[in-house]
Amino acid sequence: MENKLYPSYLSGADGIRAIACLAVIFHHLTQRLSMHDQTTVIQESQAFLLVGNAGVSVFFVLSGFLLSLPFWKRYLGDGQFPEMGQYVFRRAARIVPGFYVAFMISTLLAFLWQIPTDYQLIRILTGLTFTSGFHYNTLFPSEINGPLWSISFEVFCYLLMPIFMLGLFFLGKRRSFRKAITYWVGVVLFIVCLNQLIHLFLTPDNIQRGWEYGLIGGAKYWMPNYNPIGFFGQFAFGIIASAITIKLFLESKAIEVFKRKGGFDVISFIGLAVSFYFLWHMRHLGDFSFSLQNQPYYFPIYPILVAVTLSTVPHSLWFGKLLDNRVLRFTAKVSFGLYIWHYLVITVVERFWVTDYYYMGLADFNSWLLVSSVILVTSYVVATLSFYLVEKPVLDWSHRKRFPGRRIQDLPGVRKEA
């Protein structure tokens, strides 16, 4: 195998992360605009922005794509299984500090504001241990910061990925790209079957099941369509996309002509464009009945479209650079903070400034636009403070810490990072 360099930075990934983050934020902002009071053009635009919650799917696909890269480098480079101590430590360093600060402040504010919170103690405990996603009573660990629900699901995927990867590494002595892809397609099918069993045996009863019963009722309504096992299927598409990306780097000579002619630009652009068109087409559906097993975010079509874009955009000539412009790269840098803080900003605004900034509550579009702009700017400020004061110091420290074992750069056949 040729000893060439993997790029130290995969173009396009930051831009896609930023778009996903902004899509989720605008989903929550447009929920506050009274749709029936708007013009047809605004209504159609609002309907499209409301399906921006599919950005959560992008996060899962993207996480699977990026976190599996070291595993694929070692597997396809005939290397050893990665050092799991370093993997777990750095994942914890990335997630725990920012999440804990946002979660504890949200919990404290809910207490100070005397907001009724059922099952408060168990929700705090499961929130702190990232196990809240296994029951509807705890799915939303915070009563006033709803988006924190997905962090538990993502942490669960962080744990499942190396377990399945371990099976691949020890599946026979001969390694091949075809075997690896077949294995991971099998994993996806296994997850789908397991998810079906969850639907058969773990579907909640209909007692107080619905958003009219608050967050717990809403969580009960979501489940079992929303469950950590099912979400790993979306994560797995990112893992498969990552394998394709690494394979394309290894076959760089064979694809060089295709790359020079902009072939990967065309594929990645079409993948992203079709994903937007698909969401536009779904904007009036109102549920996930189009999805396999009613899984969220139009599984498997939408995650596959995202995976197609992710697997090809690092090989593009111009499209990746276009996505990774300064604004989107900065947004990607603070995206975790944006995600975990923006809804709390919305809650504060609704409570202390614009009291009709609730679900479908604000009738005047100009007022909504002004308030939403203030929320967006404030969220960026809070997220930037979170990154530089909380997240980055821990991340820098974690990357300075050394773990025993051979580095990926030292393994035979694996190209050194630039």
Side-chain angles (χ1 to χ4, degrees):
M1 190 175 294
E2 280 190 273
N3 187 27
K4 292 188 176 180
L5 293 175
Y6 290 116
S8 58
Y9 172 78
L10 294 181
S11 67
D14 276 350
I16 292 172
R17 182 190 300 277
I19 292 171
C21 182
L22 292 174
V24 173
I25 293 174
F26 277 101
H27 163 76
H28 289 132
L29 295 178
T30 50
Q31 282 182 329
R32 270 66 186 170
L33 180 63
S34 176
M35 181 176 282
H36 71 269
D37 291 313
Q38 311 309 315
T39 64
T40 301
V41 172
I42 293 177
Q43 286 178 346
E44 293 298 312
S45 301
Q46 182 180 4
F48 174 65
L49 292 173
L50 284 172
V51 296
N53 57 348
V56 174
S57 176
V58 180
F59 284 138
F60 277 81
V61 179
L62 183 59
S63 291
F65 176 80
L66 294 174
L67 295 183
S68 62
L69 281 171
F71 293 84
W72 286 121
K73 290 177 182 179
R74 290 206 177 191
Y75 177 83
L76 296 174
D78 292 323
Q80 297 176 353
F81 195 75
E83 169 58 47
M84 287 309 299
Q86 177 172 285
Y87 171 81
V88 172
F89 181 77
R90 289 188 174 173
R91 280 296 86 206
R94 183 66 191 96
I95 294 295
V96 171
F99 173 81
Y100 270 22
V101 171
F103 176 49
M104 295 311 296
I105 288 179
S106 300
T107 302
L108 177 62
L109 290 177
F111 174 77
L112 294 175
W113 296 341
Q114 298 183 338
I115 295 177
T117 305
D118 295 329
Y119 305 99
Q120 185 173 39
L121 180 58
I122 190 65
R123 286 166 77 177
I124 292 174
L125 291 175
T126 56
L128 292 174
T129 55
F130 302 99
T131 56
S132 59
F134 291 94
H135 197 277
Y136 55 81
N137 284 337
T138 59
L139 177 64
F140 292 101
S142 169
E143 193 70 29
I144 62 174
N145 198 348
L148 298 185
W149 70 266
S150 70
I151 306 300
S152 169
F153 282 25
E154 188 150 350
V155 169
F156 183 70
C157 291
Y158 295 166
L159 299 178
L160 275 187
M161 187 268 288
I163 292 173
F164 281 112
M165 275 293 187
L166 189 64
L168 175 62
F169 269 72
F170 292 97
L171 186 64
K173 294 183 178 180
R174 183 177 175 273
R175 297 180 182 180
S176 72
F177 175 75
R178 180 177 297 181
K179 178 194 286 188
I181 294 299
T182 302
Y183 174 86
W184 272 100
V185 169
V187 170
V188 172
L189 294 177
F190 172 73
I191 290 298
V192 168
C193 292
L194 192 58
N195 193 53
Q196 189 61 40
L197 293 177
I198 291 173
H199 277 255
L200 287 174
F201 297 108
L202 296 177
T203 297
D205 58 50
N206 288 320
I207 299 174
Q208 292 189 331
R209 188 183 186 193
W211 289 107
E212 63 271 25
Y213 300 105
L215 284 184
I216 292 179
K220 194 174 185 180
Y221 171 77
W222 268 9
M223 286 190 165
N225 298 331
Y226 287 70
N227 74 77
I229 294 293
F231 265 74
F232 186 72
Q234 309 200 34
F235 199 89
F237 280 118
I239 296 171
I240 294 172
S242 184
I244 294 171
T245 295
I246 295 300
K247 181 63 174 176
L248 290 174
F249 280 122
L250 295 175
E251 303 294 336
S252 57
K253 279 191 176 180
I255 66 171
E256 190 61 35
V257 175
F258 186 74
K259 180 176 181 177
R260 285 202 307 266
K261 292 185 176 181
F264 289 110
D265 291 272
V266 173
I267 295 174
S268 55
F269 174 78
I270 290 176
L272 189 61
V274 172
S275 69
F276 274 99
Y277 174 76
F278 179 78
L279 292 182
W280 174 262
H281 188 68
M282 293 290 110
R283 69 192 186 280
H284 292 306
L285 186 60
D287 57 26
F288 298 119
S289 58
F290 188 81
S291 305
L292 178 66
Q293 300 173 322
N294 286 318
Q295 287 199 46
Y297 317 124
Y298 318 108
F299 180 87
I301 294 177
Y302 185 69
I304 288 175
L305 291 172
V306 176
V308 168
T309 303
L310 283 173
S311 64
T312 53
V313 72
H315 303 275
S316 64
L317 296 176
W318 58 266
F319 189 53
K321 295 177 182 178
L322 178 65
L323 286 173
D324 291 343
N325 59 71
R326 288 186 177 182
V327 174
L328 291 187
R329 286 199 70 173
F330 178 78
T331 300
K333 178 186 292 187
V334 300
S335 60
F336 185 62
L338 282 171
Y339 184 80
I340 62 177
W341 286 105
H342 78 274
Y343 202 86
L344 187 58
V345 175
I346 291 174
T347 303
V348 171
V349 166
E350 177 189 345
R351 187 175 182 87
F352 295 105
W353 181 24
V354 186
T355 55
D356 54 351
Y357 197 80
Y358 52 80
Y359 186 81
M360 296 293 166
L362 202 56
D364 182 66
F365 176 79
N366 291 328
S367 298
W368 171 85
L369 187 62
L370 173 62
V371 175
S372 299
S373 298
V374 171
I375 290 173
L376 185 61
V377 171
T378 304
S379 298
Y380 265 95
V381 172
V382 175
T384 302
L385 292 173
S386 173
F387 179 77
Y388 284 106
L389 299 181
V390 179
E391 301 164 48
K392 190 175 185 297
V394 179
L395 281 172
D396 291 343
W397 169 71
S398 70
H399 281 85
R400 290 193 299 268
K401 186 174 177 61
R402 292 290 178 261
F403 286 80
R406 302 171 73 190
R407 300 175 305 162
I408 184 172
Q409 294 95 327
D410 298 330
L411 294 170
V414 179
R415 296 176 285 189
K416 290 183 172 62
E417 297 285 351

